[in-house]
Amino acid sequence: MSAHLMSLHRCCQRSPLLLLVARRPWSSSSVSPPPPPPPLLPLHKRLLLFLTQQYYDVEMLLSFGSQLKRRGIQKKNVHYGYTHKFYGSDIAAAYYILSIKGGFRYVGQSDWFRADLRGKFKWDFLNYKNTPLEEVDMSHTVINYTGLGNLKEQQSLKTLSVRGCPEVDDWFLARLHMFQDSLEELDISHCPRITTGGLAALRNLKGLRRLDMSSLPGMSSPGLVVILLEEMLPQCQITATGYDHSLSQEEEEEEEETKKEQMQGPNPAWSTRYRVKSSTFD
């Protein structure tokens, strides 16, 4: 009996030690402190990261905005058939011009009718029914190929300016043939969508006296284009500023080769070759 009591006493003395040993793994594996947060990115990098994550949403919004802008331009350039029916072609053309912030002058009148910066205008032009337009200024407006149809019956139109119009393109120039018997002055400068191919349509304007084609970013070889237009329209005074008429690197190399050939003397193998040299035009 005493032996059993002694063994029980020993077990009780060892139990705290066993509990301590058993608890050591738990105490050693306590929750570690959280890792430090990543450094905060600069604002522009965070913005780019957000746009990258929302790429398709941003693309959809841009596409939707472009469609709305295109619809707005089409709406402004619709055919004014109702006004044409009840007020005539002259009033319809005048109303179209003023509605897109343009200006015009009637035949035999010195006053111009224009819309202000907010698009507001006076309705005095309604007093000139059956009076054709002589000068039209559509500079920096959204006139396009479709809207030009509102002016097709203005056979007394002598001056037309579409300077800086973003919607004027080669198709627009091709439709100007409707004024071939009356148009004398044309300003198509600073129109970004006009190319070299579209300028060929101006050959139909046989009565043109002045042409301003300055600063057309879509035109290549401006010196050569001016030469061709002067041949097609010999009576027309052409203004073409804002271009670099200097020779390109290839043309300079060709001129150097030509000088070397002249110094070495004629060569029969080259006798049938023709070279076209570019001229400099101010």
Side-chain angles (χ1 to χ4, degrees):
M1 186 68 180
S2 60
H4 290 290
L5 291 174
M6 292 295 292
S7 61
L8 181 60
H9 179 69
R10 291 176 180 176
C11 288
C12 291
Q13 290 179 347
R14 293 178 180 177
S15 58
L17 182 61
L18 292 174
L19 290 173
L20 182 61
V21 173
R23 289 177 181 176
R24 280 180 182 176
W26 293 97
S27 62
S28 62
S29 62
S30 60
V31 179
S32 60
L40 188 63
L41 296 175
L43 179 60
H44 68 280
K45 290 187 177 181
R46 280 183 289 166
L47 179 60
L48 290 176
L49 180 61
F50 173 78
L51 293 178
T52 303
Q53 295 172 350
Q54 307 294 330
Y55 172 76
Y56 292 104
D57 296 337
V58 174
E59 184 181 19
M60 184 183 67
L61 289 175
L62 292 176
S63 177
F64 182 69
S66 179
Q67 291 178 5
L68 286 179
K69 182 179 179 181
R70 178 57 53 185
R71 289 178 183 176
I73 293 175
Q74 292 176 354
K75 185 178 180 179
K76 291 180 179 180
N77 285 281
V78 296
H79 177 61
Y80 282 49
Y82 179 86
T83 308
H84 184 279
K85 180 179 179 180
F86 289 95
Y87 294 94
S89 60
D90 301 324
I91 297 297
Y95 183 44
Y96 164 70
I97 294 170
L98 294 175
S99 66
I100 60 174
K101 301 181 181 180
F104 65 90
R105 185 179 64 80
Y106 283 115
V107 172
Q109 302 294 325
S110 59
D111 296 334
W112 278 74
F113 293 89
R114 292 184 181 273
D116 58 18
L117 296 177
R118 296 182 298 174
K120 304 297 182 179
F121 53 86
K122 297 180 180 180
W123 295 88
D124 297 343
F125 69 94
L126 295 175
N127 299 326
Y128 296 90
K129 191 175 181 180
N130 299 326
T131 305
L133 309 182
E134 185 173 358
E135 296 186 49
V136 173
D137 182 9
M138 306 294 286
S139 301
H140 306 287
T141 63
V142 292
I143 185 175
N144 61 7
Y145 173 87
T146 305
L148 186 61
N150 290 298
L151 307 179
K152 64 181 180 180
E153 297 186 22
Q154 300 303 312
Q155 299 303 316
S156 298
L157 185 63
K158 293 184 178 181
T159 303
L160 175 62
S161 175
V162 290
R163 178 186 179 91
C165 295
E167 299 298 321
V168 171
D169 54 8
D170 296 344
W171 292 100
F172 184 95
L173 297 184
R175 201 173 186 182
L176 290 178
H177 67 85
M178 64 180 72
F179 308 120
Q180 59 182 353
D181 297 328
S182 62
L183 196 61
E184 297 179 357
E185 298 182 13
L186 177 63
D187 186 354
I188 57 173
S189 60
H190 301 275
C191 293
R193 300 182 63 181
I194 293 179
T195 65
T196 304
L199 294 172
L202 299 180
R203 67 180 183 274
N204 298 318
L205 304 177
K206 299 301 183 181
L208 201 62
R209 296 292 182 268
R210 293 182 181 179
L211 173 63
D212 191 347
M213 46 177 287
S214 303
S215 300
L216 298 178
M219 188 175 68
S220 58
S221 304
L224 181 59
V225 172
V226 170
I227 293 175
L228 294 177
L229 286 176
E230 287 179 344
E231 292 180 356
M232 291 187 295
L233 304 170
Q235 76 288 350
C236 183
Q237 178 183 353
I238 300 176
T239 302
T241 60
Y243 301 107
D244 183 13
H245 295 285
S246 60
L247 295 176
S248 63
Q249 184 177 0
E250 295 180 358
E251 292 173 340
E252 290 178 356
E253 292 178 356
E254 185 177 355
E255 282 223 346
E256 290 180 359
E257 292 179 1
T258 304
K259 291 179 180 179
K260 291 181 180 179
E261 292 171 6
Q262 292 175 354
M263 293 178 65
Q264 293 175 357
N267 192 326
W270 299 334
S271 58
T272 59
R273 293 178 60 185
Y274 295 88
R275 297 181 180 275
V276 178
K277 300 181 180 180
S278 301
S279 301
T280 303
F281 292 88
D282 294 332

mmCIF file of all heavy atoms in Angstrom, residues 75-114:
data_model
loop_
_atom_site.group_PDB
_atom_site.id
_atom_site.type_symbol
_atom_site.label_atom_id
_atom_site.label_comp_id
_atom_site.label_asym_id
_atom_site.label_seq_id
_atom_site.Cartn_x
_atom_site.Cartn_y
_atom_site.Cartn_z
ATOM 1 N N LYS A 75 -25.933 64.756 -86.881
ATOM 2 C CA LYS A 75 -27.179 65.477 -86.639
ATOM 3 C C LYS A 75 -27.074 66.929 -87.083
ATOM 4 O O LYS A 75 -28.041 67.504 -87.607
ATOM 5 C CB LYS A 75 -27.534 65.396 -85.152
ATOM 6 C CG LYS A 75 -28.871 66.018 -84.795
ATOM 7 C CD LYS A 75 -29.183 65.851 -83.325
ATOM 8 C CE LYS A 75 -30.524 66.477 -82.964
ATOM 9 N NZ LYS A 75 -30.844 66.305 -81.516
ATOM 10 N N LYS A 76 -25.907 67.546 -86.902
ATOM 11 C CA LYS A 76 -25.727 68.937 -87.297
ATOM 12 C C LYS A 76 -25.631 69.104 -88.808
ATOM 13 O O LYS A 76 -25.862 70.207 -89.320
ATOM 14 C CB LYS A 76 -24.472 69.505 -86.640
ATOM 15 C CG LYS A 76 -24.589 69.671 -85.129
ATOM 16 C CD LYS A 76 -23.311 70.229 -84.543
ATOM 17 C CE LYS A 76 -23.443 70.424 -83.037
ATOM 18 N NZ LYS A 76 -22.200 70.965 -82.430
ATOM 19 N N ASN A 77 -25.301 68.033 -89.518
ATOM 20 C CA ASN A 77 -25.113 68.115 -90.963
ATOM 21 C C ASN A 77 -26.245 67.462 -91.757
ATOM 22 O O ASN A 77 -26.050 67.117 -92.927
ATOM 23 C CB ASN A 77 -23.781 67.471 -91.357
ATOM 24 C CG ASN A 77 -22.582 68.340 -91.025
ATOM 25 O OD1 ASN A 77 -22.258 69.288 -91.734
ATOM 26 N ND2 ASN A 77 -21.919 68.027 -89.924
ATOM 27 N N VAL A 78 -27.397 67.302 -91.135
ATOM 28 C CA VAL A 78 -28.527 66.721 -91.852
ATOM 29 C C VAL A 78 -29.048 67.717 -92.891
ATOM 30 O O VAL A 78 -28.762 68.918 -92.838
ATOM 31 C CB VAL A 78 -29.661 66.330 -90.876
ATOM 32 C CG1 VAL A 78 -29.201 65.249 -89.920
ATOM 33 C CG2 VAL A 78 -30.155 67.553 -90.116
ATOM 34 N N HIS A 79 -29.813 67.191 -93.834
ATOM 35 C CA HIS A 79 -30.408 68.045 -94.859
ATOM 36 C C HIS A 79 -31.587 68.803 -94.260
ATOM 37 O O HIS A 79 -32.483 68.217 -93.654
ATOM 38 C CB HIS A 79 -30.871 67.203 -96.042
ATOM 39 C CG HIS A 79 -31.559 67.997 -97.112
ATOM 40 N ND1 HIS A 79 -30.925 69.012 -97.807
ATOM 41 C CD2 HIS A 79 -32.822 67.940 -97.601
ATOM 42 C CE1 HIS A 79 -31.746 69.539 -98.685
ATOM 43 N NE2 HIS A 79 -32.911 68.909 -98.577
ATOM 44 N N TYR A 80 -31.588 70.116 -94.422
ATOM 45 C CA TYR A 80 -32.640 70.961 -93.867
ATOM 46 C C TYR A 80 -33.821 71.004 -94.836
ATOM 47 O O TYR A 80 -34.155 72.040 -95.417
ATOM 48 C CB TYR A 80 -32.101 72.363 -93.586
ATOM 49 C CG TYR A 80 -31.282 72.450 -92.329
ATOM 50 C CD1 TYR A 80 -30.262 71.541 -92.057
ATOM 51 C CD2 TYR A 80 -31.524 73.438 -91.382
ATOM 52 C CE1 TYR A 80 -29.519 71.611 -90.907
ATOM 53 C CE2 TYR A 80 -30.777 73.522 -90.216
ATOM 54 C CZ TYR A 80 -29.779 72.596 -89.983
ATOM 55 O OH TYR A 80 -29.045 72.661 -88.837
ATOM 56 N N GLY A 81 -34.450 69.850 -94.990
ATOM 57 C CA GLY A 81 -35.536 69.726 -95.961
ATOM 58 C C GLY A 81 -36.781 70.497 -95.578
ATOM 59 O O GLY A 81 -37.462 71.075 -96.436
ATOM 60 N N TYR A 82 -37.117 70.532 -94.291
ATOM 61 C CA TYR A 82 -38.316 71.255 -93.849
ATOM 62 C C TYR A 82 -38.167 72.746 -94.119
ATOM 63 O O TYR A 82 -39.080 73.389 -94.665
ATOM 64 C CB TYR A 82 -38.543 70.990 -92.359
ATOM 65 C CG TYR A 82 -39.748 71.700 -91.789
ATOM 66 C CD1 TYR A 82 -41.018 71.132 -91.875
ATOM 67 C CD2 TYR A 82 -39.617 72.945 -91.168
ATOM 68 C CE1 TYR A 82 -42.123 71.782 -91.352
ATOM 69 C CE2 TYR A 82 -40.717 73.607 -90.647
ATOM 70 C CZ TYR A 82 -41.980 73.023 -90.745
ATOM 71 O OH TYR A 82 -43.069 73.678 -90.236
ATOM 72 N N THR A 83 -37.021 73.308 -93.748
ATOM 73 C CA THR A 83 -36.793 74.737 -93.994
ATOM 74 C C THR A 83 -36.760 75.028 -95.489
ATOM 75 O O THR A 83 -37.267 76.069 -95.946
ATOM 76 C CB THR A 83 -35.467 75.164 -93.338
ATOM 77 O OG1 THR A 83 -35.448 74.754 -91.974
ATOM 78 C CG2 THR A 83 -35.290 76.664 -93.398
ATOM 79 N N HIS A 84 -36.164 74.114 -96.245
ATOM 80 C CA HIS A 84 -36.100 74.293 -97.693
ATOM 81 C C HIS A 84 -37.498 74.304 -98.304
ATOM 82 O O HIS A 84 -37.785 75.079 -99.240
ATOM 83 C CB HIS A 84 -35.254 73.166 -98.293
ATOM 84 C CG HIS A 84 -35.042 73.288 -99.770
ATOM 85 N ND1 HIS A 84 -35.990 72.881 -100.689
ATOM 86 C CD2 HIS A 84 -33.997 73.778 -100.495
ATOM 87 C CE1 HIS A 84 -35.530 73.103 -101.911
ATOM 88 N NE2 HIS A 84 -34.341 73.648 -101.819
ATOM 89 N N LYS A 85 -38.382 73.479 -97.783
ATOM 90 C CA LYS A 85 -39.736 73.364 -98.345
ATOM 91 C C LYS A 85 -40.562 74.620 -98.097
ATOM 92 O O LYS A 85 -41.301 75.072 -98.989
ATOM 93 C CB LYS A 85 -40.422 72.137 -97.748
ATOM 94 C CG LYS A 85 -41.838 71.920 -98.248
ATOM 95 C CD LYS A 85 -42.445 70.674 -97.623
ATOM 96 C CE LYS A 85 -43.879 70.454 -98.104
ATOM 97 N NZ LYS A 85 -44.482 69.240 -97.494
ATOM 98 N N PHE A 86 -40.452 75.195 -96.918
ATOM 99 C CA PHE A 86 -41.329 76.317 -96.552
ATOM 100 C C PHE A 86 -40.688 77.688 -96.747
ATOM 101 O O PHE A 86 -41.391 78.688 -96.847
ATOM 102 C CB PHE A 86 -41.778 76.165 -95.100
ATOM 103 C CG PHE A 86 -42.760 75.049 -94.894
ATOM 104 C CD1 PHE A 86 -42.332 73.804 -94.491
ATOM 105 C CD2 PHE A 86 -44.112 75.238 -95.134
ATOM 106 C CE1 PHE A 86 -43.241 72.766 -94.296
ATOM 107 C CE2 PHE A 86 -45.023 74.208 -94.947
ATOM 108 C CZ PHE A 86 -44.584 72.965 -94.525
ATOM 109 N N TYR A 87 -39.332 77.744 -96.784
ATOM 110 C CA TYR A 87 -38.674 79.050 -96.887
ATOM 111 C C TYR A 87 -37.767 79.176 -98.115
ATOM 112 O O TYR A 87 -37.272 80.271 -98.383
ATOM 113 C CB TYR A 87 -37.832 79.321 -95.632
ATOM 114 C CG TYR A 87 -38.657 79.473 -94.374
ATOM 115 C CD1 TYR A 87 -38.889 78.387 -93.551
ATOM 116 C CD2 TYR A 87 -39.197 80.704 -94.013
ATOM 117 C CE1 TYR A 87 -39.643 78.509 -92.392
ATOM 118 C CE2 TYR A 87 -39.955 80.846 -92.856
ATOM 119 C CZ TYR A 87 -40.177 79.742 -92.052
ATOM 120 O OH TYR A 87 -40.928 79.863 -90.902
ATOM 121 N N GLY A 88 -37.494 78.100 -98.793
ATOM 122 C CA GLY A 88 -36.651 78.166 -99.969
ATOM 123 C C GLY A 88 -35.219 77.743 -99.691
ATOM 124 O O GLY A 88 -34.782 77.623 -98.532
ATOM 125 N N SER A 89 -34.470 77.539 -100.763
ATOM 126 C CA SER A 89 -33.097 77.026 -100.647
ATOM 127 C C SER A 89 -32.148 78.040 -100.021
ATOM 128 O O SER A 89 -31.220 77.661 -99.296
ATOM 129 C CB SER A 89 -32.579 76.623 -102.026
ATOM 130 O OG SER A 89 -32.580 77.741 -102.909
ATOM 131 N N ASP A 90 -32.368 79.331 -100.259
ATOM 132 C CA ASP A 90 -31.454 80.344 -99.730
ATOM 133 C C ASP A 90 -31.561 80.467 -98.214
ATOM 134 O O ASP A 90 -30.547 80.510 -97.510
ATOM 135 C CB ASP A 90 -31.734 81.696 -100.396
ATOM 136 C CG ASP A 90 -31.570 81.640 -101.901
ATOM 137 O OD1 ASP A 90 -30.680 80.914 -102.360
ATOM 138 O OD2 ASP A 90 -32.339 82.313 -102.615
ATOM 139 N N ILE A 91 -32.780 80.508 -97.695
ATOM 140 C CA ILE A 91 -32.974 80.584 -96.248
ATOM 141 C C ILE A 91 -32.512 79.293 -95.586
ATOM 142 O O ILE A 91 -31.908 79.318 -94.491
ATOM 143 C CB ILE A 91 -34.447 80.876 -95.919
ATOM 144 C CG1 ILE A 91 -34.848 82.247 -96.479
ATOM 145 C CG2 ILE A 91 -34.687 80.810 -94.416
ATOM 146 C CD1 ILE A 91 -34.090 83.397 -95.869
ATOM 147 N N ALA A 92 -32.745 78.151 -96.224
ATOM 148 C CA ALA A 92 -32.316 76.872 -95.664
ATOM 149 C C ALA A 92 -30.785 76.810 -95.563
ATOM 150 O O ALA A 92 -30.235 76.350 -94.560
ATOM 151 C CB ALA A 92 -32.834 75.721 -96.518
ATOM 152 N N ALA A 93 -30.093 77.292 -96.604
ATOM 153 C CA ALA A 93 -28.635 77.313 -96.569
ATOM 154 C C ALA A 93 -28.125 78.268 -95.492
ATOM 155 O O ALA A 93 -27.182 77.953 -94.760
ATOM 156 C CB ALA A 93 -28.091 77.716 -97.938
ATOM 157 N N ALA A 94 -28.764 79.430 -95.386
ATOM 158 C CA ALA A 94 -28.355 80.403 -94.368
ATOM 159 C C ALA A 94 -28.571 79.847 -92.967
ATOM 160 O O ALA A 94 -27.716 80.003 -92.077
ATOM 161 C CB ALA A 94 -29.131 81.703 -94.554
ATOM 162 N N TYR A 95 -29.705 79.191 -92.742
ATOM 163 C CA TYR A 95 -30.001 78.633 -91.423
ATOM 164 C C TYR A 95 -29.021 77.519 -91.062
ATOM 165 O O TYR A 95 -28.580 77.411 -89.913
ATOM 166 C CB TYR A 95 -31.437 78.116 -91.415
ATOM 167 C CG TYR A 95 -31.874 77.578 -90.067
ATOM 168 C CD1 TYR A 95 -31.580 78.256 -88.892
ATOM 169 C CD2 TYR A 95 -32.609 76.395 -89.975
ATOM 170 C CE1 TYR A 95 -31.985 77.768 -87.655
ATOM 171 C CE2 TYR A 95 -33.015 75.899 -88.753
ATOM 172 C CZ TYR A 95 -32.699 76.588 -87.598
ATOM 173 O OH TYR A 95 -33.093 76.094 -86.386
ATOM 174 N N TYR A 96 -28.663 76.702 -92.037
ATOM 175 C CA TYR A 96 -27.678 75.644 -91.790
ATOM 176 C C TYR A 96 -26.323 76.234 -91.396
ATOM 177 O O TYR A 96 -25.685 75.768 -90.449
ATOM 178 C CB TYR A 96 -27.526 74.776 -93.039
ATOM 179 C CG TYR A 96 -26.289 73.922 -93.024
ATOM 180 C CD1 TYR A 96 -26.163 72.841 -92.157
ATOM 181 C CD2 TYR A 96 -25.213 74.211 -93.866
ATOM 182 C CE1 TYR A 96 -25.023 72.059 -92.136
ATOM 183 C CE2 TYR A 96 -24.070 73.445 -93.849
ATOM 184 C CZ TYR A 96 -23.977 72.366 -92.981
ATOM 185 O OH TYR A 96 -22.826 71.608 -92.959
ATOM 186 N N ILE A 97 -25.891 77.268 -92.105
ATOM 187 C CA ILE A 97 -24.591 77.891 -91.818
ATOM 188 C C ILE A 97 -24.558 78.467 -90.409
ATOM 189 O O ILE A 97 -23.608 78.259 -89.653
ATOM 190 C CB ILE A 97 -24.288 78.976 -92.868
ATOM 191 C CG1 ILE A 97 -24.103 78.346 -94.247
ATOM 192 C CG2 ILE A 97 -23.046 79.774 -92.480
ATOM 193 C CD1 ILE A 97 -24.045 79.351 -95.374
ATOM 194 N N LEU A 98 -25.600 79.171 -90.028
ATOM 195 C CA LEU A 98 -25.638 79.780 -88.696
ATOM 196 C C LEU A 98 -25.767 78.732 -87.596
ATOM 197 O O LEU A 98 -25.256 78.922 -86.486
ATOM 198 C CB LEU A 98 -26.802 80.769 -88.611
ATOM 199 C CG LEU A 98 -26.695 82.018 -89.496
ATOM 200 C CD1 LEU A 98 -27.971 82.845 -89.402
ATOM 201 C CD2 LEU A 98 -25.487 82.854 -89.111
ATOM 202 N N SER A 99 -26.433 77.623 -87.882
ATOM 203 C CA SER A 99 -26.640 76.606 -86.863
ATOM 204 C C SER A 99 -25.349 75.902 -86.472
ATOM 205 O O SER A 99 -25.265 75.336 -85.376
ATOM 206 C CB SER A 99 -27.660 75.572 -87.340
ATOM 207 O OG SER A 99 -27.153 74.840 -88.448
ATOM 208 N N ILE A 100 -24.351 75.909 -87.334
ATOM 209 C CA ILE A 100 -23.056 75.302 -86.978
ATOM 210 C C ILE A 100 -21.977 76.378 -86.785
ATOM 211 O O ILE A 100 -20.788 76.132 -86.987
ATOM 212 C CB ILE A 100 -22.615 74.269 -88.031
ATOM 213 C CG1 ILE A 100 -22.462 74.893 -89.402
ATOM 214 C CG2 ILE A 100 -23.560 73.093 -88.084
ATOM 215 C CD1 ILE A 100 -21.892 73.930 -90.437
ATOM 216 N N LYS A 101 -22.432 77.597 -86.420
ATOM 217 C CA LYS A 101 -21.552 78.698 -86.027
ATOM 218 C C LYS A 101 -20.707 79.230 -87.184
ATOM 219 O O LYS A 101 -19.549 79.608 -87.008
ATOM 220 C CB LYS A 101 -20.636 78.281 -84.878
ATOM 221 C CG LYS A 101 -21.379 77.840 -83.632
ATOM 222 C CD LYS A 101 -20.416 77.456 -82.516
ATOM 223 C CE LYS A 101 -21.160 76.997 -81.278
ATOM 224 N NZ LYS A 101 -20.225 76.623 -80.182
ATOM 225 N N GLY A 102 -21.288 79.251 -88.366
ATOM 226 C CA GLY A 102 -20.613 79.826 -89.523
ATOM 227 C C GLY A 102 -21.093 81.242 -89.796
ATOM 228 O O GLY A 102 -21.805 81.853 -88.991
ATOM 229 N N GLY A 103 -20.695 81.767 -90.951
ATOM 230 C CA GLY A 103 -21.094 83.110 -91.347
ATOM 231 C C GLY A 103 -21.259 83.202 -92.854
ATOM 232 O O GLY A 103 -20.710 82.388 -93.599
ATOM 233 N N PHE A 104 -22.023 84.194 -93.319
ATOM 234 C CA PHE A 104 -22.263 84.339 -94.754
ATOM 235 C C PHE A 104 -22.630 85.781 -95.066
ATOM 236 O O PHE A 104 -22.957 86.575 -94.180
ATOM 237 C CB PHE A 104 -23.376 83.391 -95.223
ATOM 238 C CG PHE A 104 -24.727 83.709 -94.635
ATOM 239 C CD1 PHE A 104 -25.597 84.588 -95.273
ATOM 240 C CD2 PHE A 104 -25.127 83.143 -93.436
ATOM 241 C CE1 PHE A 104 -26.835 84.894 -94.723
ATOM 242 C CE2 PHE A 104 -26.359 83.438 -92.879
ATOM 243 C CZ PHE A 104 -27.209 84.318 -93.531
ATOM 244 N N ARG A 105 -22.585 86.070 -96.359
ATOM 245 C CA ARG A 105 -23.011 87.388 -96.867
ATOM 246 C C ARG A 105 -23.861 87.170 -98.106
ATOM 247 O O ARG A 105 -23.508 86.365 -98.985
ATOM 248 C CB ARG A 105 -21.788 88.250 -97.211
ATOM 249 C CG ARG A 105 -22.143 89.673 -97.642
ATOM 250 C CD ARG A 105 -20.891 90.481 -97.939
ATOM 251 N NE ARG A 105 -20.145 89.955 -99.064
ATOM 252 C CZ ARG A 105 -20.456 90.182 -100.357
ATOM 253 N NH1 ARG A 105 -21.496 90.945 -100.666
ATOM 254 N NH2 ARG A 105 -19.718 89.663 -101.312
ATOM 255 N N TYR A 106 -24.990 87.887 -98.153
ATOM 256 C CA TYR A 106 -25.880 87.774 -99.304
ATOM 257 C C TYR A 106 -25.332 88.559 -100.496
ATOM 258 O O TYR A 106 -24.529 89.485 -100.345
ATOM 259 C CB TYR A 106 -27.271 88.320 -98.967
ATOM 260 C CG TYR A 106 -28.118 87.391 -98.130
ATOM 261 C CD1 TYR A 106 -28.498 87.752 -96.838
ATOM 262 C CD2 TYR A 106 -28.558 86.176 -98.627
ATOM 263 C CE1 TYR A 106 -29.305 86.922 -96.069
ATOM 264 C CE2 TYR A 106 -29.354 85.338 -97.875
ATOM 265 C CZ TYR A 106 -29.725 85.710 -96.594
ATOM 266 O OH TYR A 106 -30.509 84.877 -95.841
ATOM 267 N N VAL A 107 -25.792 88.209 -101.670
ATOM 268 C CA VAL A 107 -25.446 88.941 -102.882
ATOM 269 C C VAL A 107 -26.022 90.358 -102.805
ATOM 270 O O VAL A 107 -27.200 90.553 -102.480
ATOM 271 C CB VAL A 107 -25.987 88.216 -104.127
ATOM 272 C CG1 VAL A 107 -25.802 89.069 -105.377
ATOM 273 C CG2 VAL A 107 -25.303 86.869 -104.305
ATOM 274 N N GLY A 108 -25.170 91.332 -103.072
ATOM 275 C CA GLY A 108 -25.607 92.727 -103.057
ATOM 276 C C GLY A 108 -25.674 93.348 -101.681
ATOM 277 O O GLY A 108 -26.119 94.498 -101.552
ATOM 278 N N GLN A 109 -25.259 92.624 -100.637
ATOM 279 C CA GLN A 109 -25.280 93.148 -99.282
ATOM 280 C C GLN A 109 -23.844 93.217 -98.745
ATOM 281 O O GLN A 109 -22.996 92.402 -99.097
ATOM 282 C CB GLN A 109 -26.128 92.259 -98.357
ATOM 283 C CG GLN A 109 -27.569 92.094 -98.802
ATOM 284 C CD GLN A 109 -28.333 93.401 -98.730
ATOM 285 O OE1 GLN A 109 -28.114 94.226 -97.837
ATOM 286 N NE2 GLN A 109 -29.261 93.597 -99.671
ATOM 287 N N SER A 110 -23.601 94.190 -97.881
ATOM 288 C CA SER A 110 -22.267 94.342 -97.297
ATOM 289 C C SER A 110 -22.163 93.747 -95.897
ATOM 290 O O SER A 110 -21.063 93.499 -95.406
ATOM 291 C CB SER A 110 -21.876 95.827 -97.246
ATOM 292 O OG SER A 110 -22.829 96.563 -96.473
ATOM 293 N N ASP A 111 -23.301 93.544 -95.252
ATOM 294 C CA ASP A 111 -23.303 93.023 -93.884
ATOM 295 C C ASP A 111 -23.190 91.506 -93.883
ATOM 296 O O ASP A 111 -23.756 90.803 -94.732
ATOM 297 C CB ASP A 111 -24.590 93.435 -93.158
ATOM 298 C CG ASP A 111 -24.703 94.948 -92.993
ATOM 299 O OD1 ASP A 111 -23.646 95.606 -92.961
ATOM 300 O OD2 ASP A 111 -25.842 95.464 -92.928
ATOM 301 N N TRP A 112 -22.462 91.034 -92.864
ATOM 302 C CA TRP A 112 -22.316 89.593 -92.666
ATOM 303 C C TRP A 112 -23.250 89.137 -91.553
ATOM 304 O O TRP A 112 -23.494 89.855 -90.589
ATOM 305 C CB TRP A 112 -20.872 89.260 -92.277
ATOM 306 C CG TRP A 112 -19.946 89.162 -93.450
ATOM 307 C CD1 TRP A 112 -19.452 90.186 -94.190
ATOM 308 C CD2 TRP A 112 -19.404 87.968 -94.006
ATOM 309 N NE1 TRP A 112 -18.626 89.718 -95.185
ATOM 310 C CE2 TRP A 112 -18.575 88.351 -95.090
ATOM 311 C CE3 TRP A 112 -19.516 86.618 -93.703
ATOM 312 C CZ2 TRP A 112 -17.879 87.423 -95.866
ATOM 313 C CZ3 TRP A 112 -18.839 85.692 -94.469
ATOM 314 C CH2 TRP A 112 -18.034 86.088 -95.547
ATOM 315 N N PHE A 113 -23.747 87.946 -91.692
ATOM 316 C CA PHE A 113 -24.544 87.303 -90.651
ATOM 317 C C PHE A 113 -23.692 86.196 -90.040
ATOM 318 O O PHE A 113 -23.236 85.290 -90.745
ATOM 319 C CB PHE A 113 -25.835 86.715 -91.233
ATOM 320 C CG PHE A 113 -26.806 87.753 -91.731
ATOM 321 C CD1 PHE A 113 -26.732 88.212 -93.039
ATOM 322 C CD2 PHE A 113 -27.771 88.265 -90.887
ATOM 323 C CE1 PHE A 113 -27.613 89.160 -93.508
ATOM 324 C CE2 PHE A 113 -28.670 89.227 -91.349
ATOM 325 C CZ PHE A 113 -28.593 89.677 -92.659
ATOM 326 N N ARG A 114 -23.501 86.257 -88.724
ATOM 327 C CA ARG A 114 -22.655 85.286 -88.025
ATOM 328 C C ARG A 114 -23.305 84.881 -86.709
ATOM 329 O O ARG A 114 -24.052 85.640 -86.099
ATOM 330 C CB ARG A 114 -21.267 85.864 -87.731
ATOM 331 C CG ARG A 114 -20.394 86.106 -88.946
ATOM 332 C CD ARG A 114 -19.012 86.577 -88.530
ATOM 333 N NE ARG A 114 -18.163 86.846 -89.674
ATOM 334 C CZ ARG A 114 -17.425 85.921 -90.288
ATOM 335 N NH1 ARG A 114 -17.453 84.668 -89.839
ATOM 336 N NH2 ARG A 114 -16.667 86.235 -91.316
#
